[in-house]
Amino acid sequence: MQFTTPVPVQKANRQIDYDSAIFSVGSCFAINISEKFAHYQFKSDVNPFGILFHPVAIAQHFDRAVLEIAFYEDDIFYHQERWHAYDAHSDLSNSDKDALISELNSAAKNTRLKLQSASHVIVTLGTSWVYRHRAENKFVANCHKLPQADFNKELLSVEVVAESVLNTIQSVHSVNPDAQIIFTISPVRHLKDGFVENQMSKANLISGLHQAMKGVSNVSYFPSYEIMMDELRDYRFYASDMIHPNQLAIDYIWEKFADSFFSAETRETAARVGDIRKAQNHRPFNAESSAHQQFLSDLRKKIDALQSKHPHFEF
């Protein structure tokens, strides 16, 4: 017998539709959500600085972008024949120093522009465990495979998490007061830190986040982590590494997200987009048959009907 009580999901203060501009930042799960938005043809962007795992890194990222603080040579370092930035993911690292500085400044500018135009900003927090660079006495977003001896590993307190979340909210609303900010905790467990340590980390994120959100307008919470831990706690919902949610889990969490943030009309349009995507993946037995040609003609009509209402759709 299953005793699971579904995790309550509140309706959004401001719903997402096909006119919305969605900007997602944060840990790996932000990419999963962003891929879903792209699949269903929403206007969305994700992580100009690459994956950011902890709330201090996200707050610093937004703060730098909003205040238009440029990157210079002093902000990067050379390691294993590549140039890196502590504030960015290794995806941005480059063998060319000037190219990296240019890309970092472009990413910061892009972040500011996306924040200014976004109707919804989705922030996914991954962990409270952070690494402080000893020589520079600063938290880093990425260690870039430097020696472990260069860093101290620390657990962010509830108070520091709350402060970082508030700084993130203030940065967003300083350039876009009307932006709806949606916070969520990544359902990916950081088990390399340890089972107990992962729970400590998630607990501090949840406590600090909810503490910061009290009394703040245009901010809401979506329980990704809680859905994974309660409703999807069976290992059949995990990938082969037994850490990341598999596609079945991602699809389930996405449906919960849609229930919370989409209107009935938006859900209907998304369903039609999904049907077209499936049809496009269909492989016929006979591509020259009249039945398949009729199938393609009908599919084209469905695409034209959607694109007449939503010109930005691309199939």
Side-chain angles (χ1 to χ4, degrees):
M1 184 180 295
Q2 187 174 1
F3 293 95
T4 300
T5 300
V7 175
V9 178
Q10 297 179 343
K11 293 295 181 181
N13 296 334
R14 182 179 175 188
Q15 291 186 317
I16 295 173
D17 57 33
Y18 276 98
D19 291 324
S20 300
I22 305 145
F23 184 48
S24 302
V25 173
S27 69
C28 299
F29 192 68
I31 296 176
N32 297 139
I33 290 295
S34 183
E35 288 173 347
K36 283 291 190 182
F37 279 124
H39 178 82
Y40 289 104
Q41 300 277 12
F42 288 89
K43 302 171 186 175
S44 67
D45 290 277
V46 62
N47 282 347
F49 274 72
I51 296 169
L52 300 173
F53 293 100
H54 62 80
V56 173
I58 294 171
Q60 290 174 342
H61 166 49
F62 280 179
D63 187 54
R64 184 163 204 146
V66 166
L67 296 177
E68 300 182 274
I69 301 173
F71 283 90
Y72 297 100
E73 188 172 340
D74 289 345
D75 298 308
I76 64 176
F77 65 94
Y78 193 69
H79 178 63
Q80 294 183 341
E81 301 183 7
R82 290 176 70 79
W83 290 91
H84 311 271
Y86 288 123
D87 292 335
H89 193 268
S90 56
D91 287 346
L92 275 72
S93 298
N94 201 302
S95 57
D96 186 305
K97 174 179 62 178
D98 293 332
L100 173 59
I101 294 173
S102 176
E103 187 170 5
L104 289 170
N105 284 318
S106 293
K109 182 179 180 179
N110 186 36
T111 296
R112 180 181 172 87
L113 291 174
K114 295 301 179 185
L115 291 177
Q116 288 176 322
S117 61
S119 60
H120 294 78
V121 178
I122 303 176
V123 179
T124 304
L125 306 180
T127 182
S128 297
W129 287 106
V130 295
Y131 289 87
R132 185 191 296 272
H133 191 271
R134 291 182 175 182
E136 299 194 21
N137 191 31
K138 61 172 285 187
F139 292 133
V140 301
N142 197 292
C143 295
H144 300 290
K145 298 183 179 179
L146 286 169
Q148 189 172 353
D150 291 353
F151 302 92
N152 287 327
K153 184 177 180 180
E154 302 177 20
L155 182 68
L156 296 177
S157 67
V158 172
E159 290 72 25
V160 172
V161 171
E163 180 183 1
S164 298
V165 170
L166 278 174
N167 288 342
T168 294
I169 295 171
Q170 290 166 2
S171 290
V172 175
H173 286 161
S174 69
V175 295
N176 188 349
D178 295 327
Q180 175 74 33
I181 307 175
I182 303 167
F183 284 98
T184 190
I185 306 296
S186 172
V188 178
R189 296 174 299 162
H190 291 234
L191 296 185
K192 288 184 179 179
D193 295 320
F195 281 83
V196 173
E197 289 79 3
N198 172 72
Q199 291 298 85
M200 293 165 59
S201 167
K202 298 294 188 182
N204 282 11
L205 288 181
I206 294 168
S207 297
L209 175 54
H210 285 284
Q211 179 177 310
M213 289 173 57
K214 289 180 180 178
V216 181
S217 60
N218 287 338
V219 177
S220 54
Y221 180 72
F222 177 71
S224 301
Y225 179 73
E226 293 82 352
I227 291 170
M228 192 74 201
M229 293 298 103
D230 184 65
E231 295 187 54
L232 307 180
R233 59 176 175 258
D234 192 287
Y235 273 103
R236 71 180 182 273
F237 296 110
Y238 286 86
S240 58
D241 62 5
M242 296 299 175
I243 296 174
H244 290 81
N246 63 16
Q247 194 59 52
L248 182 62
I250 293 169
D251 292 345
Y252 183 89
I253 295 172
W254 169 258
E255 285 301 316
K256 289 286 190 177
F257 184 90
D259 286 343
S260 179
F261 290 97
F262 298 171
S263 67
E265 180 181 357
T266 300
R267 287 178 59 82
E268 180 184 351
T269 301
R272 292 169 65 189
V273 171
D275 289 341
I276 290 173
R277 294 287 201 193
K278 290 178 183 177
Q280 288 179 317
N281 291 329
H282 174 70
R283 294 294 176 263
F285 289 111
N286 181 2
E288 305 301 323
S289 68
S290 58
H292 183 63
Q293 296 307 308
Q294 184 62 50
F295 169 82
L296 292 178
S297 176
D298 292 342
L299 180 59
R300 184 69 256 173
K301 290 177 182 177
K302 292 178 181 178
I303 292 174
D304 289 343
L306 277 180
Q307 288 180 326
S308 67
K309 292 185 64 176
H310 306 283
H312 71 278
F313 282 11
E314 295 180 0
F315 291 100

